[in-house]
Amino acid sequence: MKSDFNKNLKIYNSLSGKKELFVPINKKKIGMYVCGPTVYNNAHLGNCRTFISFDLINRYLIHLGFKVRYVRNLTDVGHLENDDDDGEDKISKKAKVEKLEPMEIVQKYSIDFHKVMERFNTLPPSIEPTATGHIIEQIDCIEQIIKSGYAYEKNDSVYFDVLKFNKKNNYGRLSGRKLENMMNNSRSLDGITDKKNPQDFALWKKAEESHIMFWNSPWGKGFPGWHLECTAMSKKYLGDYFDIHGGGMDLKFPHHDCEIAQSEALSNKNPAKYWMHTNMLTLNGKKMSKSIDNFILPNEIFSGNNKFFEKQFSPNVVKFFMYQAHYRSVLDISNDSLIASEKGLNKLFNGLNLIPELDCNEKPSDFDIESWINNCYLKMNDDFNTPMLIAELFDCLSFINNVKKSSKNLNIIDKEKLKSTFKIFLFDILGLVDKPESNNTENKISSELIGLLIKLRNQSRENKDFKLSDQIRDDLMNLGIQLNDDKKESSYKIIK
């Protein structure tokens, strides 16, 4: 089954601007590099969407039978403010604010990032290199680019010569930007920097006296450019040419355009066969921004300690919400959208738990399970189309509910395949957790308290207050307690 489907996967390639049949460079092995976070602050929800999306891609490729080397870096030096060459290093600046060493900042926020990713149940990358751990490799790359003729040294800094590179190559083709347009829109340098042209970017920057992060190099004490680190690390662990390079849409320019230029100067090759980019996450219809106070962290959603949402939502719900939009689409997070996602996810879990209870005999059902399974794979093979996959899961849920209500018979072999496939897509591929998170308070919920809630729910059902009835059922489900309704009473079981 899987060997058939891995031949039909299509990926939207940002470089060509269209979906392409995925043909790996090596038949069974895949190299994937994803630009990781700059660890100077708490994990950003928008970044989390990118890493959750690539976790899905990683999981699906593994499911199809590929061996994936997934490299995702941590930027711990060289990323300057405003993604420019003349600002202050983000980590150094935060270190001054918090009165800590830069590597204390890196450690603090790397741990935070890893904890958030664990709560989202993402698989760790195969390799997680850091920029500071690969200074030697970056210096080596710079020396090679200088030898190629596409870099120059000035006042102990080294810059990439974009105009010279563009004479034989096409700088900016990933983002679609034309160099001549960039030049026309640039202000004159007026001698304020050492660059020949405004479009040139730093490969190595001289460390001024106030700069607290620097290393020795052939050009003096300094630090590497932000774009260079990804080129050096992807080259080391995946080679000059690998299958997939990913990141957020905001990295197309200048970061990924510069990566391509560096790699072509080094090896005459675009480093990746397929370039993939996730789109942005908005909050209540507006761009997330601290400056306009429209910003929320993942842990603030999980705890409910925020001003945007009426209650707390689990990582499971937030992750499921993200998958209800395609990774290349803008996605808006709001209170209503999370509530809807929570209800939808609970329905899927309920449906999964109903499968063993369905009546079975030798009479097959009208539901074509093989066709349904095929449709699930077709949706995933269409550029990892999670919204359409989820629609297929809900189609299956409708069938399960109809069988339960009408007492139709379901062939036992079909039932086992139905349950196993449902679990594969929910847990193995989407990476959802089959047992919702519980904290210490939830663990102390006694059977008497559950009984009291059931009694309250039974009363609300008698009074036709279905909104309250559904809320109690859904909230208990979030705690791992499934209600089984009879005509007048309800029983419960703890979901394993």
Side-chain angles (χ1 to χ4, degrees):
M1 172 71 74
K2 290 186 289 186
S3 61
D4 293 332
F5 284 112
N6 68 19
K7 299 174 184 176
N8 299 306
L9 173 62
K10 289 187 176 181
I11 292 177
Y12 183 88
N13 191 346
S14 298
L15 195 61
S16 65
K18 61 183 180 181
K19 293 178 188 177
E20 298 177 6
L21 185 67
F22 180 66
V23 181
I25 298 168
N26 297 308
K27 190 173 182 181
K28 295 182 179 179
K29 296 181 180 180
I30 292 174
M32 180 168 71
Y33 186 93
V34 175
C35 292
T38 300
V39 281
Y40 74 105
N41 214 330
N42 295 109
H44 187 285
L45 189 63
N47 286 344
C48 289
R49 185 193 182 191
T50 292
F51 305 130
I52 288 171
S53 296
F54 281 101
D55 179 66
L56 168 91
I57 292 166
N58 181 37
R59 285 173 177 272
Y60 189 60
L61 292 173
I62 292 171
H63 173 73
L64 292 180
F66 294 109
K67 184 177 181 180
V68 183
R69 176 175 286 178
Y70 175 19
V71 182
R72 186 187 68 206
N73 74 295
L74 293 176
T75 295
D76 57 355
V77 70
H79 194 172
L80 308 187
E81 291 182 295
N82 303 316
D83 299 346
D84 201 356
D85 287 331
D86 297 312
E88 187 173 1
D89 187 291
K90 293 183 177 184
I91 290 167
S92 295
K93 183 176 182 180
K94 195 60 177 284
K96 292 175 184 177
V97 171
E98 297 194 15
K99 294 182 171 55
L100 296 171
E101 285 290 327
M103 287 301 108
E104 287 183 285
I105 294 295
V106 168
Q107 181 76 353
K108 176 181 178 180
Y109 292 113
S110 294
I111 290 172
D112 174 73
F113 171 68
H114 290 143
K115 284 182 177 179
V116 170
M117 288 296 100
E118 286 174 10
R119 294 199 70 183
F120 277 125
N121 194 38
T122 63
L123 300 176
S126 312
I127 304 172
E128 192 173 50
T130 63
T132 57
H134 295 77
I135 298 296
I136 293 174
E137 289 83 357
Q138 293 177 79
I139 289 174
D140 182 60
C141 284
I142 296 170
E143 290 177 329
Q144 292 182 55
I145 295 173
I146 291 174
K147 288 180 182 178
S148 75
Y150 292 122
Y152 57 91
E153 180 186 355
K154 188 68 179 293
N155 293 334
D156 300 334
S157 293
V158 182
Y159 297 95
F160 191 93
D161 194 331
V162 171
L163 269 65
K164 186 175 182 180
F165 174 82
N166 195 62
K167 290 178 180 179
K168 294 183 178 180
N169 302 274
N170 183 10
Y171 177 78
R173 67 180 178 276
L174 177 66
S175 66
R177 300 191 182 210
K178 300 293 184 182
L179 184 58
E180 52 269 27
N181 293 336
M182 288 188 264
M183 293 175 65
N184 291 335
N185 293 329
S186 297
R187 292 175 296 176
S188 173
L189 290 175
D190 293 330
I192 60 173
T193 78
D194 296 323
K195 296 180 183 181
K196 292 180 180 178
N197 301 284
Q199 290 71 34
D200 295 350
F201 56 90
L203 299 175
W204 187 265
K205 282 284 290 181
K206 175 184 177 180
E208 304 298 336
E209 290 185 7
S210 61
H211 204 91
I212 57 179
M213 298 178 74
F214 57 85
W215 290 261
N216 291 322
S217 79
W219 314 283
K221 291 183 178 180
F223 56 94
W226 173 40
H227 312 304
L228 183 68
E229 65 181 67
C230 289
T231 295
M233 290 185 282
S234 64
K235 179 181 174 67
K236 177 170 182 175
Y237 296 110
L238 299 175
D240 292 336
Y241 187 54
F242 51 92
D243 296 283
I244 297 172
H245 195 311
M249 193 79 72
D250 57 320
L251 295 181
K252 276 188 177 182
F253 180 85
H255 190 53
H256 288 164
D257 277 335
C258 293
E259 275 193 66
I260 291 173
Q262 290 167 161
S263 294
E264 292 184 343
L266 285 165
S267 61
N268 294 315
K269 289 181 180 178
N270 186 312
K273 188 173 183 180
Y274 304 92
W275 286 81
M276 302 181 67
H277 294 89
T278 58
N279 216 321
M280 66 186 298
L281 186 69
T282 59
L283 176 61
N284 292 325
K286 299 178 182 178
K287 182 179 179 180
M288 282 199 196
S289 173
K290 287 185 177 181
S291 62
I292 60 173
D293 200 20
N294 194 58
F295 184 83
I296 190 168
L297 297 172
N299 286 326
E300 293 172 337
I301 300 178
F302 305 155
S303 67
N305 185 24
N306 64 82
K307 66 178 183 179
F308 298 102
F309 307 128
E310 66 184 47
K311 52 174 285 187
Q312 65 187 68
F313 294 97
S314 71
N316 233 22
V317 169
V318 179
K319 190 173 187 178
F320 182 66
F321 156 74
M322 289 185 181
Y323 284 149
Q324 291 182 78
H326 193 273
Y327 75 88
R328 289 190 287 112
S329 301
V330 175
L331 176 61
D332 185 63
I333 188 169
S334 65
N335 186 73
D336 290 345
S337 63
L338 286 177
I339 288 175
S341 294
E342 185 175 59
K343 289 181 178 179
L345 184 58
N346 287 335
K347 288 178 181 178
L348 289 177
F349 281 148
N350 285 333
L352 176 63
N353 292 320
L354 282 176
I355 294 176
E357 301 174 10
L358 300 178
D359 293 330
C360 305
N361 67 5
E362 298 303 319
K363 179 183 176 183
S365 71
D366 296 331
F367 185 72
D368 188 345
I369 291 181
E370 294 299 332
S371 177
W372 173 73
I373 293 173
N374 184 67
N375 286 339
C376 288
Y377 278 101
L378 286 176
K379 300 306 186 293
M380 282 301 294
N381 279 349
D382 183 16
D383 193 30
F384 311 98
N385 199 326
T386 53
M388 295 304 296
L389 170 65
I390 290 171
E392 290 291 339
L393 295 178
F394 274 105
D395 283 346
C396 183
L397 176 64
S398 296
F399 159 71
I400 293 169
N401 289 334
N402 288 336
V403 171
K404 183 67 176 176
K405 289 177 183 177
S406 61
S407 299
K408 289 182 180 179
N409 293 318
L410 182 65
N411 183 280
I412 190 166
I413 298 175
D414 290 342
K415 184 172 79 168
E416 291 176 353
K417 180 175 281 190
L418 181 67
K419 183 177 180 180
S420 65
T421 305
F422 210 92
K423 291 177 73 174
I424 284 171
F425 280 100
L426 269 183
F427 306 136
D428 294 352
I429 295 174
L430 293 180
L432 299 170
V433 182
D434 59 351
K435 186 176 181 180
E437 287 188 337
S438 59
N439 57 36
N440 292 333
T441 302
E442 292 167 344
N443 287 335
K444 293 178 182 177
I445 292 178
S446 65
S447 58
E448 291 83 4
L449 181 54
I450 296 173
L452 181 63
L453 289 170
I454 290 176
K455 183 178 178 180
L456 178 62
R457 184 169 181 272
N458 289 336
Q459 291 175 350
S460 65
R461 290 172 69 194
E462 289 178 9
N463 296 331
K464 299 185 184 296
D465 186 354
F466 298 116
K467 183 177 180 180
L468 177 59
S469 171
D470 290 347
Q471 182 180 342
I472 294 172
R473 179 199 62 207
D474 292 344
D475 287 348
L476 285 173
M477 188 65 184
N478 283 338
L479 299 176
I481 302 163
Q482 178 182 307
L483 296 185
N484 299 309
D485 292 333
D486 201 343
K487 290 184 178 179
K488 294 184 178 180
E489 299 293 331
S490 296
S491 59
Y492 75 92
K493 66 178 179 181
I494 304 298
I495 301 171
K496 302 298 183 185

